[in-house]
Amino acid sequence: MSHRNNVNNHRTSPSTPEGVPGPEGPGTGARVVTFEAVRDNPRVKAFIRSADHALEIIGYTEHGERHVGLVAHIAYNTLKRLGHSERDAELAAIAGYLHDIGNAVNREQHAQTGAVMAMRILTDMGMPDHEIVQVMGAIGNHHETDGCAISPVSAAVILGDKSDVHRTRVRNPDMIKFDVHDRVNYAVEKSFLNVDESRKEITLELTIDTKISQVMEYFEIFMTRMLACRKAAIYLGTSFGLTVNGNRLT
Ligand SMILES: [Fe+2]
Ligand SMILES: [Fe+2]
């Protein structure tokens, strides 16, 4: 059975029971930190909003709660569909939600900065070290220019992050004449990450308004991202494909 992550419209989040003892068991001080607890943490909210604000100032597309919530959702669903454990899927959701907080410090090396910021948050929340390091590795490797899949959790975050290309990310549609990133994002009317577990295939399905941007422009901008998706999909034991307006391109 294939599963579609609606890249544009999700609002649901993974849920797990709260208060379950961690792998270290009761009395060790470690807790199961849920996705919901991370999402609702006031410091997480402040960091995500600051990161998005900093990127707005330097002219980047939307990187706020919509983007990171979507990445969390896709990362979670991808691992669940491919048969990974509930907890690994939840760690992917947590890493997906935190992956861009480093932008609050600086766009350069935001993946690595964000990983260290997440360590502080998750330590304070009582997450055990073996899980913290998984989340850190996923955050620190999510950027296509200086990271790659080092675990299923990190592969899922890469796939979630790179598949979020959509009109709603453009902050000022007046700029689409001048900025190719804005133009390509604005041209994408629909995007789905289709995880077909039976065929071991992950496909990013895009619907692009070619009156706004040509498909070639998409590749000019996003070739490195598509290669990162391909590597991440291969890490998960699947192939990666891209369809644009129903035509298979890779
Ligand atoms: Fe990022
Ligand atoms: Fe991102």
Side-chain angles (χ1 to χ4, degrees):
M1 189 179 73
S2 90
H3 172 73
R4 290 189 154 203
N5 286 314
N6 186 335
V7 172
N8 309 323
N9 298 320
H10 93 94
R11 278 296 178 270
T12 57
S13 53
S15 62
T16 55
E18 297 219 31
V20 182
E24 284 82 351
T28 61
R31 271 180 254 144
V32 170
V33 174
T34 64
F35 171 76
E36 288 80 4
V38 172
R39 183 195 58 199
D40 297 341
N41 183 304
R43 184 178 273 177
V44 170
K45 287 182 201 275
F47 284 7
I48 289 170
R49 285 170 195 173
S50 297
D52 189 38
H53 179 66
L55 292 180
E56 181 173 15
I57 298 293
I58 60 173
Y60 277 72
T61 52
E62 183 270 339
H63 281 69
E65 280 152 337
R66 188 210 65 86
H67 170 61
V68 297
L70 180 60
V71 174
H73 183 77
I74 295 173
Y76 176 88
N77 273 342
T78 299
L79 288 194
K80 284 294 283 180
R81 282 280 151 190
L82 294 175
H84 292 261
S85 71
E86 173 67 28
R87 187 57 182 161
D88 271 6
E90 186 162 35
L91 291 177
I94 291 169
Y97 205 73
L98 298 175
H99 80 278
D100 269 336
I101 56 176
N103 286 300
V105 177
N106 198 301
R107 177 68 187 172
E108 289 297 316
Q109 306 210 335
H110 73 275
Q112 295 88 336
T113 311
V116 178
M117 293 163 75
M119 178 177 72
R120 177 65 188 266
I121 295 170
L122 298 173
T123 301
D124 288 351
M125 293 179 77
M127 184 181 275
D129 287 346
H130 70 92
E131 291 189 348
I132 290 175
V133 79
Q134 278 228 64
V135 173
M136 289 178 75
I139 297 172
N141 277 286
H142 83 267
H143 202 237
E144 64 272 19
T145 55
D146 58 1
C148 61
I150 57 162
S151 67
V153 171
S154 71
V157 171
I158 289 168
L159 285 162
D161 188 34
K162 306 313 160 205
S163 54
D164 185 19
V165 183
H166 192 255
R167 176 166 292 185
T168 52
R169 298 193 75 183
V170 177
R171 299 184 198 261
N172 180 4
D174 292 343
M175 286 300 291
I176 64 171
K177 287 196 194 91
F178 312 107
D179 184 294
V180 68
H181 280 88
D182 277 353
R183 186 160 58 247
V184 170
N185 271 284
Y186 198 77
V188 177
E189 295 171 332
K190 279 192 205 154
S191 46
F192 294 93
L193 190 71
N194 187 349
V195 178
D196 186 333
E197 63 269 33
S198 60
R199 299 181 65 170
K200 298 266 180 251
E201 251 176 35
I202 296 176
T203 308
L204 180 59
E205 301 172 354
L206 301 177
T207 303
I208 294 181
D209 182 343
T210 53
K211 290 196 290 298
I212 296 173
S213 179
Q214 292 299 309
V215 174
M216 274 303 286
E217 273 195 335
Y218 180 88
F219 277 104
E220 272 176 55
I221 302 303
F222 291 129
M223 180 60 91
T224 50
R225 290 193 198 182
M226 292 302 98
L227 292 173
C229 284
R230 186 161 168 263
K231 281 190 199 164
I234 289 169
Y235 186 93
L236 291 171
T238 67
S239 61
F240 180 76
L242 175 69
T243 67
V244 176
N245 298 345
N247 300 309
R248 190 166 194 93
L249 301 182
T250 58

